[in-house]
Amino acid sequence: MATTKETPHIKPNGVEIAETILLPGDPLRAKFIAETYLDNAQCFNEVRGMLGYTGTYKGKKISVMGTGMGPASMGIYSWELINVFGVKNLIRIGTCGAMQEDINLYDVILGMGSATDSNYGHQFNLPGEYPLTASFELLQKAKKVADEKGQKVHIGNILSSEVFYHADPTVMKKWQDVGILSVEMESVALYWNAIQARVNALCILTVSDHLITGEHTTPEERQTAFTKMMEIALELA
């Protein structure tokens, strides 16, 4: 059903936003997914260049939209998608920096839980700490899809950091020592918004950089080469 709703950041112009959406950080990755995998894809957002599309994959209506970088940007887009447009399943498909030696460039990580240095959750005024976890339903299904594809995935806790260029060079070693698999910047806001609204969210990440070895991928590869992650997310959706 076409929607007449809009927000300051999402203007669908009558195009429906599906109940299940894939959320890459890079809007050009959203465009690549729509053009490569979706049938009859229609663009539902161009505001601020944050491209969003709705189409079908194997007969299932799916949307895909860029979110930008950091918890503030993810917080805005995921909140509006959930609370204004009724999205029920939000699957982040992003890049991350590996923090363990047994994880390699291009490996796929399922973010079971999200540790964070962000204050995003303080707005809920809870009298203690709340564990940020993915939807078990989506996590279980993603693992099943990966197994069926013969795709190895790492499952565990990730770090959602507000800081990309950190002034303290010892910080990441401390997170590494407690078993954090990788670092990214959006899961804290996504998981908080999903938990608060009681909808489903999961982060599926591809290793684009390695904090131990110093290996890294190119910007072009980040847009188009991470197809294993994309295909797991599409089958899950």
Side-chain angles (χ1 to χ4, degrees), residues 4-234:
T4 57
K5 297 177 181 178
E6 62 179 65
T7 71
H9 311 98
I10 304 174
K11 189 175 182 179
N13 293 314
V15 179
E16 180 182 4
I17 300 176
E19 285 194 351
T20 297
I21 192 165
L22 309 186
L23 299 172
D26 186 348
L28 293 180
R29 197 180 309 141
K31 184 174 187 287
F32 172 82
I33 292 169
E35 293 177 346
T36 305
Y37 294 104
L38 300 186
D39 295 323
N40 304 312
Q42 293 180 280
C43 182
F44 71 75
N45 193 61
E46 295 180 298
V47 178
R48 294 175 176 260
M50 203 57 69
L51 301 174
Y53 301 85
T54 297
T56 58
Y57 180 76
K58 296 185 177 180
K60 170 78 172 183
K61 186 164 289 186
I62 296 173
S63 294
V64 57
M65 180 181 175
T67 64
M69 293 187 290
S73 188
M74 170 60 86
I76 290 170
Y77 289 111
S78 60
W79 192 97
E80 292 180 355
L81 288 166
I82 294 167
N83 293 287
V84 178
F85 298 103
V87 176
K88 304 297 184 186
N89 304 294
L90 300 93
I91 305 166
R92 165 161 156 69
I93 45 175
T95 58
C96 65
M99 297 175 68
Q100 300 297 327
E101 292 182 354
D102 62 340
I103 300 176
N104 301 311
L105 220 59
Y106 298 104
D107 279 4
V108 175
I109 294 173
L110 305 181
M112 179 175 68
S114 177
T116 188
D117 57 20
S118 169
N119 288 327
Y120 191 86
H122 285 193
Q123 64 182 299
F124 300 106
N125 293 316
L126 295 175
E129 298 295 326
Y130 189 95
L132 293 178
T133 55
S135 158
F136 179 74
E137 178 185 354
L138 290 183
L139 180 65
Q140 185 179 45
K141 288 180 178 179
K143 178 60 166 62
K144 182 179 179 182
V145 169
D147 288 346
E148 290 171 350
K149 287 180 166 293
Q151 172 63 47
K152 176 185 175 182
V153 293
H154 305 271
I155 303 175
N157 294 324
I158 58 178
L159 169 65
S160 189
S161 179
E162 285 190 325
V163 183
F164 192 89
Y165 299 107
H166 211 293
D168 182 351
T170 70
V171 163
M172 290 305 163
K173 179 63 165 59
K174 294 173 183 177
W175 288 110
Q176 178 187 347
D177 288 346
V178 295
I180 293 294
L181 300 184
S182 66
V183 58
E184 51 84 72
M185 302 185 74
E186 289 76 41
S187 61
V188 56
L190 176 60
Y191 284 6
W192 259 123
N193 285 349
I195 288 166
Q196 196 274 335
R198 299 189 182 183
V199 298
N200 299 315
L202 174 66
C203 282
I204 304 178
L205 306 169
T206 298
V207 176
S208 60
D209 305 88
H210 207 296
L211 275 65
I212 299 174
T213 67
E215 297 173 284
H216 60 87
T217 58
T218 67
E220 292 75 20
E221 288 172 323
R222 296 179 191 211
Q223 287 178 19
T224 62
F226 299 153
T227 54
K228 292 178 182 178
M229 166 182 66
M230 297 173 190
E231 290 168 3
I232 292 173
L234 286 163

